[in-house]
Amino acid sequence: MGKLSVSILSADLAHLADQVKLVEPYADAIHVDVMDGHFAPPITFGGVLVRSLRPCTPLVLHGHLMVDAPESQFDALAQAGMDVVSFHIEAVEDPAPVIRKARDAGMRVGMTVSPPTPVEALFPYLEELDDVMVMSVYPGWAGQRFMPEALPKLEAVRAELDRRGLSPDVQIDGGVKLENARRCIEAGATVLIAASAIYQAEDPAAVARELKAIAEGRA
Ligand code: DX5
Ligand code: ZN
């Protein structure tokens, strides 16, 4: 069953708990974009925000770590209540100990590729991962345009997972809208991540409902 992960990067952060409640009936996870001003230019969220958000929702909290040395954040994020972290392969020299460190901290773990990185870079680690994330925009901001080059990457990772009989989540992150969501699912994504499509809409709950239906193959 496909899932919807709602990114709070476009939410009205002064009313974060309410913004999360709006989408809760349709979302499986809240996607928290952690950026450090180095790996990605902005500085966004971290353990301090997660600590406030944790008691507001029963949804899975998924950290997308667009930071250098992601492992340095794991303990703080886990203690704050993060359930899953996905780190960028471009941000680490050797992923294997980083994967282990996330698990030791008590979290599930995934890896992700920025647009210039081939998805095949993740293949040596697929057995160890709870999710694989393909980025369809450059790390940094919500509201960028979907890069269709991500679709063959989804197909490639889907084919490799099927070949090996593995079933981690396959997430697509960046520029996901009602117009392209179905193509992402057809290409092999199991999780749609969306920020601006939902929070810039007049009726965020209605868009979340539709995206969830597309993820589940009902629309
Ligand atoms: C971009 C972030 C994305 C972003 C998606 O660096 O990783 O998760 O929030 O925003 P939209 O859905 O607006 O492209
Ligand atoms: Zn993200």
Side-chain angles (χ1 to χ4, degrees):
M1 252 331 174
K3 298 179 199 161
L4 174 64
S5 185
V6 176
S7 165
I8 56 172
L9 196 56
S10 306
D12 175 359
L13 295 174
H15 303 98
L16 183 54
D18 296 336
Q19 297 267 285
V20 168
K21 286 283 165 238
L22 271 182
V23 298
E24 219 165 61
Y26 314 108
D28 299 281
I30 296 297
H31 179 95
V32 181
D33 286 310
V34 177
M35 304 189 212
D36 63 354
H38 294 272
F39 183 88
I43 294 176
T44 57
F45 315 128
V48 173
L49 179 109
V50 172
R51 189 174 300 283
S52 291
L53 182 57
R54 182 65 285 175
C56 301
T57 180
L59 294 176
V60 167
L61 298 183
H62 193 132
H64 176 188
L65 273 52
M66 289 162 278
V67 301
D68 292 332
E71 67 281 1
S72 66
Q73 304 295 322
F74 288 167
D75 286 338
L77 291 172
Q79 280 160 22
M82 194 75 95
D83 297 298
V84 199
V85 280
S86 292
F87 66 89
H88 273 262
I89 191 162
E90 303 89 0
V92 300
E93 264 178 33
D94 181 6
V98 179
I99 292 170
R100 273 198 302 277
K101 184 145 195 240
R103 291 205 191 285
D104 289 347
M107 297 182 289
R108 300 197 294 284
V109 62
M111 285 176 71
T112 178
V113 281
S114 285
T117 306
V119 73
E120 286 76 9
L122 301 181
F123 285 7
Y125 312 101
L126 293 178
E127 261 87 6
E128 318 300 327
L129 301 177
D130 296 293
D131 73 81
V132 174
M133 194 192 300
V134 172
M135 285 204 73
S136 36
V137 298
Y138 282 91
W141 297 273
Q144 302 179 72
R145 252 212 356 215
F146 181 80
M147 299 171 69
E149 300 90 312
L151 294 170
K153 289 176 152 184
L154 289 174
E155 287 166 1
V157 74
R158 165 58 48 212
E160 185 65 12
L161 291 170
D162 290 351
R163 195 178 72 74
R164 296 200 213 167
L166 299 171
S167 50
D169 284 334
V170 176
Q171 312 209 52
I172 179 78
D173 186 21
V176 174
K177 309 270 178 226
L178 288 173
E179 305 83 76
N180 56 29
R182 197 169 298 105
R183 275 193 289 153
C184 297
I185 297 295
E186 284 166 3
T190 59
V191 184
L192 299 172
I193 298 167
S196 57
I198 292 172
Y199 286 120
Q200 303 277 299
E202 234 165 72
D203 187 347
V207 175
R209 185 175 60 229
E210 277 190 65
L211 285 172
K212 172 69 172 168
I214 293 170
E216 290 187 341
R218 293 185 282 109

